[in-house]
Amino acid sequence: MKITGKTALVTGGTDGIGLEMARQLMEKGASVIVCGRRADALASARSEGFEAIQADLSNAAGCAALAAAFTDRPIDMLINNAGMSGNFGPGEPLDLALTDQAIFLNLNAPLHLIGYFLPHLLTRPEAVIVNVTSGLAIAPRAGGPVYCATKSGLRSFTQSLRHNLRGTHVHVIEALPPVVDTAMTRGRISGNKMSAKRCAAEIVDAIATNAKEANVGMVKLLRLIYSISPALVRRIMIKF
């Protein structure tokens, strides 16, 4: 895709991977609109020159409100990046309210937004939908069953959507990041983490080159090992 001159909507675009994607798309000549929940993060994004819309995508009403803001405005890129962990593990109770919120934000919200925006995207000369899943969509970890389940569901949906849109001008990309240094992973996951800037660069490159998937960082190695021994990858990752 030629990024220059395109208009992108990045959900969860006020921090982490989303903000870095927004910055890099703008550097390549795109007009970028970000959305998020926190007033301070929205104000910071506006100070960088982004249009920033307050939106809570953890419920259907929030998704509908965001879509309504674009009734008369074209976009060429829908980047479904917003997400939350909703983790629980041994000795932790399953918080059903948090679980429902995570399922909606991570899985239902991208589907809702695609439902709202797809008819318009199909009218554009060139358009793209990017769904940010995770390497954990392939091999889950024990401490994040809800997160892993939602990302696995979004991965499956993305693959079917890509098949259904073959022959159209709407390109569908799945981005599979590794563990990235963001607010979501701070204080919970240790070890080496990829920078949000580097992760975003690989996803933006996938947009520019019309790739089907952005297997980011260590996910490339994970996919290679998985192709040889899926059972080995599952045994390793489930303990992570």
Side-chain angles (χ1 to χ4, degrees), residues 41-238:
L42 290 163
S44 178
R46 292 184 187 112
S47 73
E48 293 192 41
F50 298 111
E51 180 179 348
I53 300 174
Q54 190 162 31
D56 181 358
L57 303 181
S58 65
N59 58 76
C63 294
L66 178 62
F70 290 87
T71 301
D72 300 315
R73 301 178 58 189
I75 66 166
D76 307 289
M77 303 183 218
L78 172 61
I79 302 177
N80 288 307
N81 167 75
M84 62 182 288
S85 63
N87 286 345
F88 74 96
E92 296 179 88
L94 177 58
D95 185 328
L96 294 179
L98 185 64
T99 294
D100 286 346
Q101 184 180 13
I103 291 171
F104 198 98
L105 180 60
N106 295 354
L107 179 57
N108 292 354
L111 272 60
H112 279 232
L113 294 180
I114 290 168
Y116 285 123
F117 285 103
L118 183 56
H120 167 75
L121 291 170
L122 286 166
T123 70
R124 305 299 291 168
E126 187 180 29
V128 66
I129 295 170
V130 180
N131 290 332
V132 179
T133 64
S134 169
L136 297 175
I138 300 168
R141 56 180 288 265
V146 175
Y147 180 82
C148 296
T150 59
K151 292 301 185 178
S152 180
L154 185 57
R155 172 172 169 75
S156 178
F157 176 83
T158 303
Q159 292 173 338
S160 295
L161 180 67
R162 183 185 301 118
H163 178 77
N164 290 341
L165 292 178
R166 69 194 188 284
T168 75
H169 296 294
V170 181
H171 190 67
V172 179
I173 300 173
E174 180 186 6
L176 297 94
V179 180
V180 178
D181 188 11
T182 65
M184 188 172 72
T185 66
R186 284 173 203 144
R188 191 170 184 100
I189 300 173
S190 60
N192 294 328
K193 302 175 187 177
M194 189 178 202
S195 72
K197 184 174 183 178
R198 283 182 56 211
C199 177
E202 294 198 28
I203 299 172
V204 171
D205 181 67
I207 295 172
T209 59
N210 289 323
K212 292 181 179 180
E213 293 184 355
N215 292 293
V216 181
M218 289 298 293
V219 175
K220 294 186 184 75
L221 179 60
L222 175 70
R223 295 296 299 275
L224 176 61
I225 298 172
Y226 189 87
S227 68
I228 300 169
S229 177
L232 174 61
V233 172
R234 293 192 187 102
R235 285 199 300 270
I236 294 171
M237 293 303 296
I238 199 68

